[in-house]
Amino acid sequence: MGAIGGMGLSLISTGIGAFGAYQNAAASNRAASYNASVNERNAQYAEARAGQAATRGAFDLSLLRVDNKRALSSLAQGFVNSGVEASSGSALNLLAEQHGMNIRGEQVQQYNTDMEVYGHRMEAENYRAAAAMARSSRTNPWLAGFTSLLGGFSQTYNQYSQYRMLTGASYSGSRNSCYL
């Protein structure tokens, strides 16, 4: 099979390589699209969890406020039942301190809810960023195939040029007369 046959095989190999590059880019694009859709779905789930956390936190805060009012009322009622004057002195200080602790407890509950909601929202943003990265990693399969063809043709032309140099083949200048 001589050098010309080898160049023919090189051209065939180039065509197969270009088709493979096209198929690889197309498969990669399908995988990137799938990953983007999975990440978008995960972002939606994270946003839903953030909403659930906010609702649950608001409900828990309302229950805590009811419990705090009940505890404060129970303390005041205990003073009244014991005959202690709750409008002044140490009894009033105790009620004020209890009320302050109740407010701090409510603030902690609200802070914890806010942090949980924030965490879920950041998770959603991270999923959206991953989806955007997956979408941006897609490649044009035609460009991949063409680039492969171009590289293969360049190598084949180099082989042909070397063959011409070794055999002393030259062009006579006429378009239809090439002596090899």
Side-chain angles (χ1 to χ4, degrees), residues 14-153:
T14 296
I16 291 171
F19 180 72
Y22 173 88
Q23 291 296 325
N24 186 33
S28 177
N29 287 348
R30 287 190 297 275
S33 293
Y34 174 77
N35 288 337
S37 68
V38 166
N39 283 318
E40 283 295 337
R41 226 177 356 265
N42 286 341
Q44 291 170 351
Y45 293 146
E47 283 292 342
R49 286 192 302 273
Q52 291 168 350
T55 302
R56 185 179 57 252
F59 180 73
D60 290 346
L61 183 59
S62 68
L63 289 179
L64 181 61
R65 285 181 176 150
V66 168
D67 288 345
N68 287 344
K69 287 179 183 176
R70 187 176 297 128
L72 203 55
S73 296
S74 177
L75 184 60
Q77 187 63 41
F79 289 146
V80 170
N81 290 345
S82 302
V84 175
E85 176 62 40
S87 60
S88 65
S90 61
L92 182 60
N93 291 340
L94 188 58
L95 286 172
E97 185 178 327
Q98 181 63 40
H99 180 67
M101 289 189 324
N102 290 350
I103 288 175
R104 282 190 291 280
E106 291 169 8
Q107 290 170 339
V108 167
Q109 173 65 38
Q110 184 63 52
Y111 176 79
N112 290 340
T113 298
D114 292 345
M115 288 296 102
E116 184 179 0
V117 168
Y118 177 78
H120 290 301
R121 290 205 172 124
M122 286 299 102
E123 182 182 20
E125 287 302 314
N126 288 338
Y127 280 126
R128 282 191 192 92
M133 288 294 288
R135 280 191 295 276
S136 71
S137 71
R138 291 186 286 199
T139 313
N140 184 342
W142 291 104
L143 182 62
F146 178 73
T147 304
S148 179
L149 270 177
L150 196 59
F153 285 152

